[in-house]
Amino acid sequence: MLICVEGRVTETGYFTWIKSSLRDAALSIEISPEHGDPRFLVDVAKTAIVEADREARRERDEYLKFDRVWCVSDVDEHPRLAEAIDVATRAGIGMAISNPSFELWVLLHFDDQQAYIHRHEAARRLRAHLPGYDKALDCPRLVGRYSGARLRAQQLESIHQRNGSALPDDNPSSGVWSLVDALIEAARQSGMPTVDL
């Protein structure tokens, strides 16, 4: 799997931690060193897919291809977000989007958040649970909290579906759980026992 993330610190640290938590699985997780807005991430992902396919053909090794590719992004104020989602969908690239920011996803590990929240407020509230938080996550403090975060994110999705609100008007929301679920399922299929994230 290839994961392209917007943020250099928070998202990269989180998925590096997930990768290390799943290290016993026969699963290869690559986190792209490229960072940027959602449209840029999708372009990076598309290029990586083409390059991996080319190398797989050259080496005659199908295992060099990516089985799944994901981009992780905030809503923030990205003017090309809708375009990025459209291009990603057509290219078969998954999008894990948090509105307003990735900090909301981490906050959902600790608290419900069903009312609109600004990204600065999400970061401030996160510091109440992770003292000293300033982009670098203390990921071991999240252990055992994934199922709660997943449930809260799914409840937010249900609320937005009932209300008819969609991106970018679905604050608060986070689709990161779907990527983490895909990683856990891939690890399980490779024979790894269940991991408590």
Side-chain angles (χ1 to χ4, degrees), residues 162-175:
R162 282 194 307 273
N163 294 341
S165 49
L167 273 169
D169 300 320
D170 62 348
N171 179 327
S173 66
S174 181

PDB file of all heavy atoms in Angstrom, residues 162-175:
ATOM      1  N   ARG A 162     -27.856  11.975   6.882  1.00  0.00           N
ATOM      2  CA  ARG A 162     -29.239  12.354   7.220  1.00  0.00           C
ATOM      3  C   ARG A 162     -29.509  13.821   6.888  1.00  0.00           C
ATOM      4  O   ARG A 162     -30.596  14.182   6.440  1.00  0.00           O
ATOM      5  CB  ARG A 162     -29.526  12.098   8.701  1.00  0.00           C
ATOM      6  CG  ARG A 162     -29.794  10.650   9.033  1.00  0.00           C
ATOM      7  CD  ARG A 162     -30.407  10.479  10.413  1.00  0.00           C
ATOM      8  NE  ARG A 162     -29.674  11.116  11.487  1.00  0.00           N
ATOM      9  CZ  ARG A 162     -28.666  10.550  12.167  1.00  0.00           C
ATOM     10  NH1 ARG A 162     -28.271   9.326  11.883  1.00  0.00           N
ATOM     11  NH2 ARG A 162     -28.078  11.196  13.141  1.00  0.00           N
ATOM     12  N   ASN A 163     -28.516  14.675   7.129  1.00  0.00           N
ATOM     13  CA  ASN A 163     -28.667  16.114   6.893  1.00  0.00           C
ATOM     14  C   ASN A 163     -28.437  16.500   5.438  1.00  0.00           C
ATOM     15  O   ASN A 163     -28.677  17.647   5.061  1.00  0.00           O
ATOM     16  CB  ASN A 163     -27.699  16.915   7.768  1.00  0.00           C
ATOM     17  CG  ASN A 163     -28.005  16.785   9.242  1.00  0.00           C
ATOM     18  OD1 ASN A 163     -29.106  16.408   9.617  1.00  0.00           O
ATOM     19  ND2 ASN A 163     -27.039  17.091  10.071  1.00  0.00           N
ATOM     20  N   GLY A 164     -27.901  15.584   4.652  1.00  0.00           N
ATOM     21  CA  GLY A 164     -27.597  15.894   3.259  1.00  0.00           C
ATOM     22  C   GLY A 164     -26.378  16.792   3.092  1.00  0.00           C
ATOM     23  O   GLY A 164     -26.227  17.446   2.067  1.00  0.00           O
ATOM     24  N   SER A 165     -25.513  16.829   4.094  1.00  0.00           N
ATOM     25  CA  SER A 165     -24.318  17.680   4.006  1.00  0.00           C
ATOM     26  C   SER A 165     -23.134  16.857   3.511  1.00  0.00           C
ATOM     27  O   SER A 165     -22.895  15.751   3.965  1.00  0.00           O
ATOM     28  CB  SER A 165     -23.997  18.324   5.355  1.00  0.00           C
ATOM     29  OG  SER A 165     -24.009  17.376   6.400  1.00  0.00           O
ATOM     30  N   ALA A 166     -22.425  17.419   2.538  1.00  0.00           N
ATOM     31  CA  ALA A 166     -21.274  16.744   1.933  1.00  0.00           C
ATOM     32  C   ALA A 166     -20.091  17.716   1.909  1.00  0.00           C
ATOM     33  O   ALA A 166     -20.240  18.901   2.179  1.00  0.00           O
ATOM     34  CB  ALA A 166     -21.625  16.299   0.517  1.00  0.00           C
ATOM     35  N   LEU A 167     -18.933  17.186   1.555  1.00  0.00           N
ATOM     36  CA  LEU A 167     -17.746  18.031   1.467  1.00  0.00           C
ATOM     37  C   LEU A 167     -18.017  19.256   0.607  1.00  0.00           C
ATOM     38  O   LEU A 167     -18.676  19.127  -0.419  1.00  0.00           O
ATOM     39  CB  LEU A 167     -16.591  17.251   0.833  1.00  0.00           C
ATOM     40  CG  LEU A 167     -15.745  16.423   1.781  1.00  0.00           C
ATOM     41  CD1 LEU A 167     -14.823  15.520   0.991  1.00  0.00           C
ATOM     42  CD2 LEU A 167     -14.936  17.273   2.716  1.00  0.00           C
ATOM     43  N   PRO A 168     -17.564  20.392   0.985  1.00  0.00           N
ATOM     44  CA  PRO A 168     -16.797  20.731   2.183  1.00  0.00           C
ATOM     45  C   PRO A 168     -17.679  21.150   3.358  1.00  0.00           C
ATOM     46  O   PRO A 168     -17.193  21.688   4.348  1.00  0.00           O
ATOM     47  CB  PRO A 168     -15.945  21.906   1.714  1.00  0.00           C
ATOM     48  CG  PRO A 168     -16.831  22.615   0.746  1.00  0.00           C
ATOM     49  CD  PRO A 168     -17.629  21.526   0.065  1.00  0.00           C
ATOM     50  N   ASP A 169     -18.971  20.887   3.266  1.00  0.00           N
ATOM     51  CA  ASP A 169     -19.906  21.339   4.299  1.00  0.00           C
ATOM     52  C   ASP A 169     -20.191  20.279   5.362  1.00  0.00           C
ATOM     53  O   ASP A 169     -21.217  20.352   6.036  1.00  0.00           O
ATOM     54  CB  ASP A 169     -21.222  21.771   3.624  1.00  0.00           C
ATOM     55  CG  ASP A 169     -21.007  22.890   2.633  1.00  0.00           C
ATOM     56  OD1 ASP A 169     -20.209  23.801   2.932  1.00  0.00           O
ATOM     57  OD2 ASP A 169     -21.609  22.831   1.542  1.00  0.00           O
ATOM     58  N   ASP A 170     -19.301  19.307   5.504  1.00  0.00           N
ATOM     59  CA  ASP A 170     -19.530  18.227   6.473  1.00  0.00           C
ATOM     60  C   ASP A 170     -18.601  18.332   7.684  1.00  0.00           C
ATOM     61  O   ASP A 170     -18.108  17.339   8.191  1.00  0.00           O
ATOM     62  CB  ASP A 170     -19.397  16.863   5.799  1.00  0.00           C
ATOM     63  CG  ASP A 170     -18.011  16.625   5.240  1.00  0.00           C
ATOM     64  OD1 ASP A 170     -17.211  17.582   5.161  1.00  0.00           O
ATOM     65  OD2 ASP A 170     -17.713  15.466   4.906  1.00  0.00           O
ATOM     66  N   ASN A 171     -18.377  19.526   8.155  1.00  0.00           N
ATOM     67  CA  ASN A 171     -17.572  19.748   9.353  1.00  0.00           C
ATOM     68  C   ASN A 171     -18.457  19.510  10.568  1.00  0.00           C
ATOM     69  O   ASN A 171     -19.529  20.124  10.666  1.00  0.00           O
ATOM     70  CB  ASN A 171     -17.038  21.184   9.353  1.00  0.00           C
ATOM     71  CG  ASN A 171     -16.197  21.529  10.561  1.00  0.00           C
ATOM     72  OD1 ASN A 171     -16.418  21.047  11.649  1.00  0.00           O
ATOM     73  ND2 ASN A 171     -15.235  22.397  10.351  1.00  0.00           N
ATOM     74  N   PRO A 172     -18.037  18.616  11.476  1.00  0.00           N
ATOM     75  CA  PRO A 172     -16.826  17.806  11.514  1.00  0.00           C
ATOM     76  C   PRO A 172     -17.039  16.442  10.845  1.00  0.00           C
ATOM     77  O   PRO A 172     -18.117  15.875  10.886  1.00  0.00           O
ATOM     78  CB  PRO A 172     -16.599  17.623  13.015  1.00  0.00           C
ATOM     79  CG  PRO A 172     -17.982  17.590  13.604  1.00  0.00           C
ATOM     80  CD  PRO A 172     -18.798  18.535  12.735  1.00  0.00           C
ATOM     81  N   SER A 173     -15.961  15.936  10.265  1.00  0.00           N
ATOM     82  CA  SER A 173     -15.994  14.595   9.682  1.00  0.00           C
ATOM     83  C   SER A 173     -14.565  14.108   9.462  1.00  0.00           C
ATOM     84  O   SER A 173     -13.638  14.910   9.362  1.00  0.00           O
ATOM     85  CB  SER A 173     -16.746  14.585   8.351  1.00  0.00           C
ATOM     86  OG  SER A 173     -16.043  15.346   7.385  1.00  0.00           O
ATOM     87  N   SER A 174     -14.417  12.800   9.404  1.00  0.00           N
ATOM     88  CA  SER A 174     -13.119  12.216   9.074  1.00  0.00           C
ATOM     89  C   SER A 174     -13.317  10.838   8.474  1.00  0.00           C
ATOM     90  O   SER A 174     -14.005   9.996   9.041  1.00  0.00           O
ATOM     91  CB  SER A 174     -12.210  12.105  10.303  1.00  0.00           C
ATOM     92  OG  SER A 174     -10.966  11.548   9.927  1.00  0.00           O
ATOM     93  N   GLY A 175     -12.693  10.628   7.324  1.00  0.00           N
ATOM     94  CA  GLY A 175     -12.722   9.328   6.672  1.00  0.00           C
ATOM     95  C   GLY A 175     -11.462   8.523   6.905  1.00  0.00           C
ATOM     96  O   GLY A 175     -11.256   7.493   6.249  1.00  0.00           O
TER      97      GLY A 175
END
